[in-house]
Amino acid sequence: MNLSTYTVKPKLPDSLKPLEEIARNLWLSWNFDAVELFIRLDYDAWFQSQQSPVRILGMVSQERLAEVAQDDSYLAALKEVYERFLKYKKGETWYRGSKKEVVAYFSMEYGMDVSLPIYSGGLGMLSGDHMKTSSDMGLPLVGIGLLYRQGYFRQYLNADGFQQESYPENDWYNMPVELRTDKSGEPIKISVDLAGRQAVAQVWEVKVGRSSLYLLDTNIEDNPQDFRNITSALYGGDKETRIQQEILLGIGGIRALRALGINPAATHMNEGHAAFLGLERIREIMTERSFTFEEAREAVWATNIFTTHTPVPAGNERFDIALMEKYFQPWSHILGISWYDFLSLGRERPYDDHESFCMTILALKLAAYANGVSALHGDVSRKMWKGLWPGLPLDEIPIGHVTNGVHPRTWVSNNMIDLLDRYFGPHFYDEPTDLAIWDRMDRISDEELWRTHERRRERLVAFARQRIRENLKRNGAVERRIQQAEDALSPYALTLAFARRFATYKRGNLLLRDPERLIRLLKDQDRPIQLIFAGKAHPMDMPGKELIKSIIHFAEQYEVESRIIFLENYDMAMGRYLTAGADLWLNTPRRPLEASGTSGMKASMNGVLNCSVLDGWWAEAYDPEVGWAIGRGEEYEDTNLQDEVESKALYDLLEREIIPLFYQRGRDGLPREWIRRMKRCMQAIGQSMSSHRMLMDYSNSFYLPALENYRRMTKDGYAEAKSLAAYLNKLKHSWDSLKIVKIESNAKPVMQREDPLSVTAYLELGPLSPEELRIELYHGSVSTQTREIVNARLSEMRFAGKEGDLYRYDVKVACIDTGWQGHTIRILPKHSALVHPYRTGFVKWA
């Protein structure tokens, strides 16, 4: 077929021209007054457009546009929104430094807005909030991802309650993305090698306030069909599709930034999917500078940041060696290293031929900065990957944590935002990094807060009823059954919500374990409760699908369909209704399998109290004033016993504390104590779990140091990188010659607190010099069980001179802790260019 193609754009009257600029910037996704401009154009068309501002501009008739162009009230609202949009883009921000070098943030998915469906769940929501917050703070950060033609699937349930999937095509020309072109108007393209063939991708841009997100797309005529399918679906296809996607994301992403004229001075890998970017950054420097692999590796190591989200070994991306050979065999020659050395970059046991190639390990080995996404997950990650740093104590494994956060203006309902703006003042919008503003929660009257929350619950019930009607009609239900949807839920009952991915470890059916007890609560006429479930199971996760089906069957079996509801196709729009309209947010994972979780944070900022297992973020945020804990953080080997114990604990909390508190009303009908906790919850979680706190943590701990490292490393032709590589090479060949020959101290069997402890060590250094090593006294309390030092203190020892062939080091410390104490000596690397001294294989103990 000889097909001519072209793009048709909406024809807007001059007075409405700002609408197109606003529609194509996702700033509107966290500014509801901007969204209202599009709803006012045509209410019905707004929902038919799937809440897409770009699409609705093409759906509204020219007559309606002409009418609106003469409406002075609409134009006044447009003027106010557009002026605020321009002021936002030009305003002062938290970050005021140079933007010459940028941090490139790589993620497999982004949950920016319902109008851009390229996300599946929590990872995408986090990435979206990361980008929005970066814009608020003015950070020198750009995002990199893939543009999926089908995104993630849409969920629907058949008449038996079994999950089905559909994959509608995305229409990029009616979505908030713009194809990037060069000076001649041609699309900017890059290519990557895939097993000897070149896959070509074009680059699209999503404007996110002040920031930009760039998305790669292989669905173009330059590619054969199999390569066009690389960006077909998020988490779709087999392992081969996945490695192709990750090559495109990591290697192609770096090349795309270069093609755009952007210098990724530092990179942030959000999960291991993008870890191949480290290889591309090394290759670039080797090619440009004729460096060795080791020199180039050190040049980028100090500027790579890696965030892991996976709390179990099986969840980390691994590729079989046969697949790695197919796609990466030439890379060992490109990088000038052996194939075994290449494979060792992704192995915990470097030369174990039976170990597959792990993306998480690759990221950890190529990044100086690494973190989990909650305090508990940081602990779990250090335990999981301690084998990469043999001989290093667990608490020193160089994996820290930055607890996730959520973007308040995206997730707090428009009604609640209006209330907060009124009492917090303009400072709340203009300076979102001033988290102390949440202390003003006490200024809001109980009556106003409760009235706002009740309005959101009413809207949630109305939304749920509408969804149920639509689903029943689709499944061919009789009219009588459809009419019964009007009785589903009550706008006045205590509403519990469970909305998240339906994986078995999240235990969506925990509350169904004792049917008799639950039915009694559901059918209580004086103090009723109701449950709303939502969430998708992965298309290949049959146990997850059976979980969903069991909830549907439970409601039917016990005739509580009006009190237990499952809402299909959980997405961002539904998430906003649920996190704003529920009264209690349920979270029941098996500890410690929830790395962080963020849905409960969103609910908390809306005044919804949490009832959760002490896992992920809740393990550090829990306080009796802001919600309830199921258990005390126990971990079980017997999962059946765990389910039995924790389900009973959940029922006890509901019966004895939660339900009585909610229905404890005064003469005015207000649950004063519940409202007091709502205020405390919003204040505490608004401050501690805001994405602005999260980005300040990332900036201060990782981004700003990494950018400074880049400037230092590139100075004088990468002199520091070359020096560090030479030092580590020397260390590699000299480490075995290091010996701690003798340790002397004044320690007596019994010491008094504050007594001085003097320790002297005599070392053989071989070809190394004292300034090339850090000698430490490692001291503290000794465990009676393991006979190891716990809660250790570190004191660097001072070089005191040579005695013959031995080097003497001294240190004097005070005895601080009482009880059984001990000390020893260790040797670590020391070089000015090391971000930290914990390099694999380089720690020696006495």
Side-chain angles (χ1 to χ4, degrees):
M1 180 186 295
N2 185 9
L3 183 68
S4 298
T5 62
Y6 42 86
T7 303
V8 177
K9 292 190 174 183
K11 185 179 180 181
L12 297 177
D14 289 343
S15 59
L16 300 182
K17 285 289 176 65
L19 279 176
E20 185 160 14
E21 185 179 352
I22 294 171
R24 292 190 174 277
N25 191 311
L26 289 180
W27 171 85
L28 66 77
S29 68
W30 68 93
N31 288 271
F32 188 72
D33 52 354
V35 173
E36 283 184 310
L37 293 174
F38 298 91
I39 298 175
R40 286 178 65 179
L41 288 175
D42 189 321
Y43 183 83
D44 292 332
W46 171 249
F47 290 99
Q48 291 169 15
S49 74
Q50 298 175 337
Q51 303 180 42
S52 171
V54 175
R55 182 177 286 114
I56 196 176
L57 291 180
M59 294 174 65
V60 176
S61 67
Q62 291 301 133
E63 290 77 13
R64 174 58 180 158
L65 291 174
E67 179 185 344
V68 172
Q70 302 301 317
D71 183 337
D72 59 348
S73 70
Y74 186 92
L75 294 177
L78 173 58
K79 182 175 183 291
E80 181 180 347
V81 168
Y82 189 56
E83 286 178 350
R84 188 150 58 87
F85 173 58
L86 296 178
K87 179 183 176 184
Y88 172 87
K89 291 205 296 182
K90 297 175 182 177
E92 286 193 352
T93 60
W94 178 85
Y95 177 80
R96 299 178 185 178
S98 168
K99 295 192 178 182
K100 182 180 178 182
E101 294 97 15
V102 304
V103 177
Y105 178 79
F106 288 70
S107 185
M108 200 75 165
E109 54 174 300
Y110 289 87
M112 307 295 303
D113 187 60
V114 69
S115 66
L116 189 61
I118 55 170
Y119 60 89
S120 71
L123 185 71
M125 297 300 103
L126 177 73
S127 302
D129 283 3
H130 202 104
M131 291 300 303
K132 295 172 185 179
T133 310
S134 172
S135 168
D136 287 344
M137 295 172 58
L139 294 177
L141 182 144
V142 298
I144 294 289
L146 304 182
L147 191 65
Y148 302 101
R149 190 170 76 249
Q150 296 175 335
Y152 204 47
F153 68 90
R154 287 189 187 172
Q155 176 198 54
Y156 66 95
L157 305 185
N158 65 19
D160 191 39
F162 192 76
Q163 174 182 292
Q164 308 281 285
E165 299 89 27
S166 65
Y167 294 86
E169 298 275 329
N170 287 320
D171 176 9
W172 304 128
Y173 296 94
N174 279 307
M175 290 184 174
V177 295
E178 290 279 357
L179 188 62
R180 285 302 302 263
T181 58
D182 58 23
K183 293 179 181 178
S184 63
E186 292 298 313
I188 291 175
K189 297 177 181 178
I190 59 94
S191 65
V192 292
D193 180 88
L194 296 178
R197 296 190 294 156
Q198 293 296 308
V200 181
Q202 59 188 7
V203 185
W204 299 75
E205 180 181 10
V206 181
K207 294 188 182 300
V208 189
R210 302 179 179 98
S211 302
S212 289
L213 166 64
Y214 298 101
L215 302 171
L216 304 184
D217 170 25
T218 62
N219 184 30
I220 55 178
E221 293 181 357
D222 305 60
N223 290 321
Q225 189 57 50
D226 60 333
F227 284 177
R228 295 183 71 161
N229 290 336
I230 292 173
T231 54
S232 172
L234 172 61
Y235 304 137
D238 56 14
K239 275 289 187 181
E240 186 143 15
T241 301
R242 182 64 73 87
I243 198 171
Q244 291 173 346
Q245 288 182 333
E246 298 187 7
I247 290 170
L248 180 64
L249 176 65
I251 297 173
I254 293 291
R255 293 178 184 178
L257 291 172
R258 298 294 184 201
L260 292 163
I262 296 170
N263 176 30
T267 60
H268 183 178
M269 297 167 273
N270 189 40
E271 221 4 312
H273 307 122
F276 290 137
L277 69 81
L279 303 179
E280 174 65 7
R281 297 189 74 200
I282 291 170
R283 184 201 64 79
E284 284 185 331
I285 295 176
M286 290 179 66
T287 302
E288 293 168 5
R289 297 276 173 174
S290 298
F291 277 17
T292 65
F293 171 79
E294 289 76 15
E295 291 169 338
R297 176 179 176 170
E298 297 311 322
V300 303
W301 177 75
T303 63
N304 282 339
I305 302 148
F306 170 56
T307 298
T308 176
H309 293 261
T310 309
V312 290
N316 293 278
E317 187 82 84
R318 288 182 179 272
F319 295 116
D320 290 339
I321 299 306
L323 201 58
M324 289 299 297
E325 285 179 348
K326 179 177 179 179
Y327 286 92
F328 282 95
Q329 185 84 58
W331 275 80
S332 65
H333 303 294
I334 293 171
L335 299 178
I337 57 178
S338 72
W339 178 238
Y340 278 105
D341 284 341
F342 181 89
L343 291 178
S344 73
L345 294 171
R347 285 173 165 169
E348 190 168 0
R349 301 174 301 279
Y351 300 106
D352 180 354
D353 288 339
H354 299 290
E355 184 178 355
S356 55
F357 191 92
C358 179
M359 296 296 283
T360 302
I361 293 175
L362 176 64
L364 287 169
K365 288 187 175 182
L366 295 185
Y369 304 97
N371 69 282
V373 289
S374 68
L376 178 60
H377 183 234
D379 291 339
V380 170
S381 299
R382 286 187 288 275
K383 291 174 184 175
M384 192 187 313
W385 301 115
K386 63 183 179 181
L388 294 177
W389 292 274
L392 200 61
L394 190 63
D395 60 351
E396 291 184 275
I397 299 297
I399 303 174
H401 81 275
V402 174
T403 301
N404 285 345
V406 299
H407 189 253
R409 286 190 176 270
T410 293
W411 295 107
V412 178
S413 74
N414 59 296
N415 303 98
M416 192 64 76
I417 281 289
D418 288 344
L419 183 66
L420 298 181
D421 281 339
R422 195 157 68 248
Y423 282 93
F424 288 6
H427 194 65
F428 183 46
Y429 184 87
D430 295 335
E431 295 191 38
T433 53
D434 183 5
L435 302 177
I437 198 77
W438 289 91
D439 289 335
R440 297 183 180 183
M441 278 303 306
D442 287 336
R443 297 183 180 186
I444 302 173
S445 70
D446 290 358
E447 292 80 2
E448 282 188 284
L449 182 61
W450 188 245
R451 188 164 61 248
T452 301
H453 178 66
E454 286 194 309
R455 189 178 306 125
R456 293 311 309 183
R457 192 191 313 117
E458 290 166 3
R459 291 190 177 183
L460 170 58
V461 169
F463 170 82
R465 289 173 177 173
Q466 177 63 27
R467 280 295 183 93
I468 294 168
R469 282 195 299 271
E470 292 171 358
N471 298 339
L472 289 171
K473 286 180 181 178
R474 188 199 64 233
N475 286 335
V478 297
E479 188 60 31
R480 180 181 59 80
R481 179 75 180 88
I482 296 172
Q483 289 301 319
Q484 288 176 348
E486 292 300 328
D487 295 326
L489 306 177
S490 163
Y492 310 109
L494 172 61
T495 303
L496 286 63
F498 180 98
R500 53 193 29 86
R501 181 166 57 91
F502 262 76
T504 52
Y505 82 85
K506 293 178 182 282
R507 298 188 294 175
N509 60 348
L510 188 66
L511 198 53
L512 312 184
R513 193 172 175 88
D514 188 339
E516 183 179 339
R517 205 168 175 183
L518 177 58
I519 297 304
R520 189 165 62 246
L521 297 177
L522 292 168
K523 293 187 174 181
D524 188 318
Q525 295 298 312
D526 298 321
R527 301 188 306 183
I529 70 169
Q530 54 196 12
L531 296 170
I532 302 178
F533 291 92
K536 298 177 179 180
H538 188 277
M540 303 302 291
D541 183 4
M542 292 303 132
K545 291 185 176 184
E546 288 296 330
L547 265 182
I548 295 172
K549 181 179 172 181
S550 72
I551 292 169
I552 305 298
H553 284 203
F554 183 97
E556 293 174 350
Q557 179 183 350
Y558 293 98
E559 298 181 341
V560 287
E561 295 100 327
S562 65
R563 288 291 175 262
I564 296 182
I565 302 298
F566 186 93
L567 296 179
E568 299 177 22
N569 200 39
Y570 182 40
D571 63 6
M572 288 186 73
M574 184 186 294
R576 288 192 179 104
Y577 278 102
L578 288 166
T579 53
D583 297 300
L584 188 75
W585 198 258
L586 284 179
N587 189 28
T588 53
R590 296 192 194 281
R591 177 184 163 117
L593 301 185
E594 186 91 310
S596 173
T598 56
S599 61
M601 302 175 189
K602 299 161 190 171
S604 293
M605 290 187 193
N606 280 286
V608 178
L609 303 184
N610 273 260
C611 180
S612 174
V613 170
L614 289 172
D615 198 9
W617 77 282
W618 192 238
E620 60 195 89
Y622 167 69
D623 182 289
E625 292 289 291
V626 302
W628 291 269
I630 302 170
R632 298 182 179 179
E634 299 89 351
E635 296 176 20
Y636 297 76
E637 291 186 9
D638 185 336
T639 57
N640 190 57
L641 174 63
Q642 180 181 17
D643 292 349
E644 184 68 20
V645 170
E646 294 184 342
S647 65
K648 287 182 177 179
L650 176 54
Y651 285 122
D652 288 344
L653 285 172
L654 287 169
E655 292 169 345
R656 299 174 185 176
E657 298 185 36
I658 296 170
I659 295 173
L661 187 69
F662 182 82
Y663 285 105
Q664 180 184 316
R665 309 294 173 101
R667 291 182 179 179
D668 54 8
L670 296 178
R672 295 282 182 178
E673 179 58 23
W674 188 278
I675 296 170
R676 187 186 69 80
R677 293 196 186 197
M678 287 175 64
K679 289 183 177 180
R680 174 67 184 129
C681 176
M682 294 174 73
Q683 176 193 15
I685 305 306
Q687 290 177 336
S688 65
M689 298 300 159
S690 163
S691 56
H692 298 90
R693 185 274 310 153
M694 177 182 76
L695 260 291
M696 286 190 284
D697 286 350
Y698 273 114
S699 297
N700 291 324
S701 299
F702 302 148
Y703 292 169
L704 300 182
L707 290 173
E708 179 56 35
N709 291 342
Y710 172 81
R711 288 186 279 269
R712 198 175 77 245
M713 284 292 183
T714 56
K715 187 178 180 182
D716 299 327
Y718 291 87
E720 277 216 3
K722 295 182 73 173
S723 169
L724 179 56
Y727 166 72
L728 291 174
N729 185 57
K730 180 180 179 182
L731 216 58
K732 179 180 177 181
H733 292 94
S734 307
W735 194 254
D736 289 342
S737 64
L738 289 174
K739 289 183 175 61
I740 301 172
V741 177
K742 183 171 58 173
I743 302 174
E744 297 174 346
S745 77
N746 68 337
K748 296 176 291 187
V750 177
M751 305 277 284
Q752 300 294 315
R753 175 181 277 173
E754 297 186 357
D755 277 357
L757 173 68
S758 298
V759 180
T760 299
Y762 296 89
L763 280 65
E764 289 182 7
L765 302 187
L768 296 167
S769 61
E771 57 268 19
E772 293 178 310
L773 298 167
R774 178 180 174 89
I775 316 301
E776 291 181 337
L777 177 69
Y778 188 87
H779 57 110
S781 301
V782 179
S783 167
T784 57
Q785 182 176 359
T786 64
R787 297 183 65 85
E788 294 179 351
I789 295 175
V790 294
N791 301 319
R793 300 174 188 272
L794 303 174
S795 301
E796 185 172 6
M797 302 185 74
R798 181 181 59 86
F799 173 57
K802 287 189 69 175
E803 296 186 9
D805 293 331
L806 300 181
Y807 290 77
R808 174 180 166 177
Y809 286 83
D810 294 332
V811 70
K812 181 181 288 187
V813 297
C815 294
I816 302 297
D817 300 318
T818 59
W820 198 24
Q821 302 293 302
H823 66 263
T824 188
I825 304 296
R826 71 177 184 182
I827 307 174
L828 291 170
K830 185 176 184 180
H831 190 282
S832 61
L834 279 173
V835 173
H836 60 71
Y838 308 124
R839 299 299 289 261
T840 299
F842 293 136
V843 57
K844 179 157 290 195
W845 296 87

